[in-house]
Amino acid sequence: MVKKPAAGSAVSTVASVGTEALDAAVSVVRWAGEAIRSRTNHAEEAEHRWHVTTVCASAEEVAPGGKLPEPLARLGDAIDTQLRPAPGDRGTELACRLYDTEDAGPRGTAEPASGHATVQELRTALRHAKALVETGEILLPDRPSTNRPTLTGRPLDKLIEKAQGEGRL
């Protein structure tokens, strides 16, 4: 006959802590699964929506003579663009979306498939166009770099590079 450990004994405490740790691990796995599913749904929605930024300039300054800023012009016929006055007379809203999302490259890749732009490229071009119109140059967060080019600094460089397209680390 096996005796059950008395309440308050060391064995009982270890079993209780183990159960709590297992419950916490299950909760973390469920949370991670929900976050991944949510991010996948968000990525699908992002392919079909307009990406909009407010530029602190008039529509004629944003697209003189109807010519888009160079970062957006580089995407050519892959994007649809709209210019409209920003609310409160605070500049111009520059809105872009991909025309042909079916032929875009795999999600999360920087390389387009067969010459078509990806959502990440569109976001980067939109940010660069805003910076170019407002300041006259494309401002990059990673240049000049505050870290030295070392083995441990490379992951940071890659994260900063990815944030250009996604807008977050």
Side-chain angles (χ1 to χ4, degrees):
M1 181 163 120
V2 177
K3 288 175 87 178
K4 189 175 180 186
S9 72
V11 173
S12 175
T13 303
V14 169
S16 176
V17 169
T19 303
E20 290 175 13
L22 182 61
D23 288 344
V26 168
S27 296
V28 167
V29 169
R30 283 185 184 153
W31 175 81
E34 290 172 14
I36 290 169
R37 282 189 298 277
S38 172
R39 185 170 183 182
T40 302
N41 292 341
H42 176 71
E44 290 169 1
E45 292 169 7
E47 289 180 359
H48 303 289
R49 70 178 183 92
W50 287 92
H51 300 272
V52 183
T53 188
T54 301
V55 181
C56 224
S58 69
E60 184 57 34
E61 291 171 313
V62 173
K67 187 174 183 324
L68 291 172
E70 191 270 330
L72 290 172
R74 222 180 309 133
L75 297 177
D77 294 336
I79 60 169
D80 183 16
T81 5
Q82 290 182 354
L83 293 172
R84 55 184 174 254
D89 203 26
R90 296 185 176 171
T92 303
E93 281 189 350
L94 176 57
C96 301
R97 69 176 173 182
L98 293 174
Y99 264 129
D100 198 7
T101 59
E102 295 296 317
D103 295 332
R107 272 187 216 113
T109 63
E111 294 299 315
S114 65
H116 293 282
T118 63
V119 173
Q120 184 172 353
E121 286 177 318
L122 174 61
R123 288 176 175 165
T124 301
L126 197 56
R127 281 188 184 88
H128 287 182
K130 175 183 171 77
L132 195 57
V133 170
E134 290 181 347
T135 66
E137 64 180 309
I138 297 173
L139 305 171
L140 299 174
D142 57 343
R143 301 293 178 251
S145 180
T146 57
N147 63 334
R148 293 187 305 251
T150 63
L151 183 61
T152 57
R154 286 187 187 150
L156 177 61
D157 291 338
K158 288 297 177 190
L159 283 172
I160 291 172
E161 184 181 314
K162 181 164 175 55
Q164 279 291 303
E166 297 296 327
R168 60 187 181 273
L169 290 176

